[in-house]
Amino acid sequence: CGEGERSEEGAAGCSTCSTCVPGKYKISDCSADTETQCGDCLKGKASMGGEATSCTECNSDGRYSDEDGASICKTAPAGSKPTSNRQGTEVCPAGTYSVGGADECSTCGEGERSEEGAAGCSTCSTCVPGKYKISDCSADTETQCGDCLK
């Protein structure tokens, strides 16, 4: 058999060696009598297979892999960020936000607030006429207003 081919004992001819499927990487090439050996990519990594000899770390902005055998890294959705080990996501805490695809949640600015898992911040409300401010808003609580006495 030629390079990249193999044959079973007693076979009439040679067959092309297989490549690794997506989610796997090549451990060793085939030989005349053994098939290509492939290994699984573990959580936090991915591979398109083929001739890849290792899995790619999901370490670019907002990327993660939450399953073994992943062919591609996923992107963290809005309101979340990848965990530090890149094996899943966690929601952004109140007072922060993420539009998605980011490694960290951003902090809301002064005069803004957000709930847990927010994709953006909202401007703090002001007290309407006839009400007075009890307390300013904070990153995770709204402005508190009370009724004015007559």
Side-chain angles (χ1 to χ4, degrees), residues 21-46:
V21 298
K24 295 184 179 282
Y25 67 98
K26 183 168 58 174
I27 296 172
S28 63
D29 288 318
C30 72
S31 65
D33 59 353
T34 61
E35 189 53 84
T36 304
Q37 300 297 305
C38 302
D40 289 325
C41 293
L42 301 178
K43 290 179 184 178
K45 298 180 180 186

Side-chain angles (χ1 to χ4, degrees), residues 16-135:
T16 303
C17 295
S18 62
T19 57
C20 298
V21 298
K24 295 184 179 282
Y25 67 98
K26 183 168 58 174
I27 296 172
S28 63
D29 288 318
C30 72
S31 65
D33 59 353
T34 61
E35 189 53 84
T36 304
Q37 300 297 305
C38 302
D40 289 325
C41 293
L42 301 178
K43 290 179 184 178
K45 298 180 180 186
S47 172
M48 289 301 294
E51 294 295 317
T53 57
S54 65
C55 299
T56 303
E57 299 270 350
C58 297
N59 59 5
S60 58
D61 282 350
R63 308 293 267 169
Y64 72 99
S65 170
D66 58 357
E67 59 190 2
D68 291 341
S71 58
I72 60 170
C73 298
K74 297 177 181 177
T75 301
S80 67
K81 66 176 186 166
T83 56
S84 60
N85 64 9
R86 303 291 182 158
Q87 295 179 3
T89 60
E90 57 190 46
V91 298
C92 293
T96 66
Y97 70 98
S98 170
V99 295
D103 281 347
E104 298 297 330
C105 300
S106 300
T107 304
C108 293
E110 188 173 331
E112 296 180 321
R113 58 177 295 279
S114 73
E115 301 292 325
E116 180 180 77
C121 299
S122 57
T123 303
C124 296
S125 62
T126 56
C127 297
V128 297
K131 298 213 178 235
Y132 70 98
K133 183 170 36 173
I134 297 171
S135 63

Side-chain angles (χ1 to χ4, degrees), residues 113 137-138:
R113 58 177 295 279
C137 76
S138 66

